[in-house]
Amino acid sequence: AQSVTQLGSHVSVSEGALVLLRCNYSSSVPPYLFWYVQYPNQGLQLLLKYTTGATLVKGINGFEAEFKKSETSFHLTKPSAHMSDAAEYFCAVSARGNTPLVFGKGTRLSVIA
Amino acid sequence: GAVVSQHPSRVICKSGTSVKIECRSLDFQATTMFWYRQFPKQSLMLMATSNEGSKATYEQGVEKDKFLINHASLTLSTLTVTSAHPEDSSFYICSGNNPGTENYGYTFGSGTRLTVV
């Protein structure tokens, strides 16, 4: 079975500061890992995903995440926050194969001018 | 990239009526469709998994007679909320998946905000 823990339900950063959203996972098999962003009353937009290969994954809008198997982590970072990054972020995991995503509880990112 | 079109985006219905939500995969074949429900300020909870041409598999606690899922083709899946009640008010999101393709991934619809009055 898979599970995801997102540390911090709410993270607040200043515009231009580093963004770090934490995600730890549990999986009985090698996982597929995802980060999604959700704006109010909208669906989910994929930021990036790790399936195989390079453990440092670059996504859209300047975000990246690193898969660390030894730490069972997949933290999301962005060097410089922008006001438009304010949203809800979800980390998700799936087993390899046609299985549903299991989501963390989400982290709301606020960006202060 | 892959797109899932979900309609309607918002719907208000009277208690006791039924509402149908459609999800269409526009440029890929969604062999599997996952249906999620999201309450305000909460995460997505899986309701059911449907494979094209088969009966849906529902998660524990989800009433299959209340949430009817049809996945008759590789590009269309529907969720019908029957005899809706105010407690069914929620945000419903579908996710299409075709793991047989090179671009393995889950493509989400834009969601449906259901309000039952």
Side-chain angles (χ1 to χ4, degrees):
Chain A
Q2 287 74 40
S3 67
V4 172
T5 301
Q6 290 184 242
L7 297 175
S9 59
H10 182 207
V11 171
S12 184
V13 300
S14 299
E15 190 174 19
L18 171 72
V19 175
L20 171 60
L21 304 182
R22 299 177 186 274
C23 172
N24 288 89
Y25 70 91
S26 173
S27 179
S28 55
V29 298
Y32 285 174
L33 294 160
F34 305 77
W35 274 101
Y36 288 89
V37 61
Q38 184 180 37
Y39 295 97
N41 291 312
Q42 294 188 27
L44 275 68
Q45 181 182 14
L46 179 66
L47 287 175
L48 49 80
K49 65 182 178 183
Y50 168 80
T51 54
T52 59
T55 56
L56 182 61
V57 180
K58 295 185 184 298
I60 62 171
N61 301 338
F63 285 95
E64 64 180 38
E66 186 171 9
F67 169 59
K68 292 187 177 181
K69 184 178 178 180
S70 61
E71 299 177 8
T72 60
S73 68
F74 191 58
H75 302 330
L76 181 71
T77 61
K78 181 174 180 177
S80 177
H82 192 273
M83 296 297 288
S84 61
D85 294 327
E88 190 83 18
Y89 291 79
F90 292 97
C91 181
V93 64
S94 75
R96 293 168 185 260
N98 195 21
T99 58
L101 287 172
V102 175
F103 288 88
K105 293 188 175 182
T107 298
R108 181 164 59 94
L109 176 66
S110 297
V111 182
I112 304 169
Chain B
V3 175
V4 170
S5 176
Q6 183 171 349
H7 293 281
S9 58
R10 292 176 180 269
V11 59
I12 300 173
C13 71
K14 291 184 178 181
S15 186
T17 62
S18 296
V19 173
K20 179 184 283 189
I21 301 170
E22 289 191 353
C23 281
R24 294 181 182 272
S25 55
L26 299 185
D27 49 5
F28 71 104
Q29 294 183 327
T31 52
T32 302
M33 193 71 77
F34 302 105
W35 287 92
Y36 294 87
R37 181 175 183 175
Q38 185 180 31
F39 290 105
K41 300 188 185 302
Q42 294 189 27
S43 188
L44 283 76
M45 300 300 295
L46 180 68
M47 297 176 66
T49 300
S50 71
N51 292 300
E52 184 265 338
S54 303
K55 288 185 177 180
T57 301
Y58 291 82
E59 296 299 299
Q60 190 172 7
V62 178
E63 300 176 57
K64 63 180 181 179
D65 294 330
K66 181 170 188 60
F67 298 99
L68 301 179
I69 292 173
N70 184 283
H71 193 167
S73 78
L74 288 171
T75 59
L76 174 64
S77 179
T78 62
L79 167 66
T80 301
V81 183
T82 62
S83 186
H85 291 283
E87 58 265 30
D88 299 324
S89 298
S90 189
F91 194 58
Y92 294 87
I93 309 177
C94 62
S95 173
N97 191 24
N98 189 347
T101 60
E102 184 175 321
N103 292 323
Y104 185 102
Y106 302 79
T107 304
F108 284 83
S110 55
T112 297
R113 171 72 61 192
L114 170 62
T115 302
V116 185
V117 298

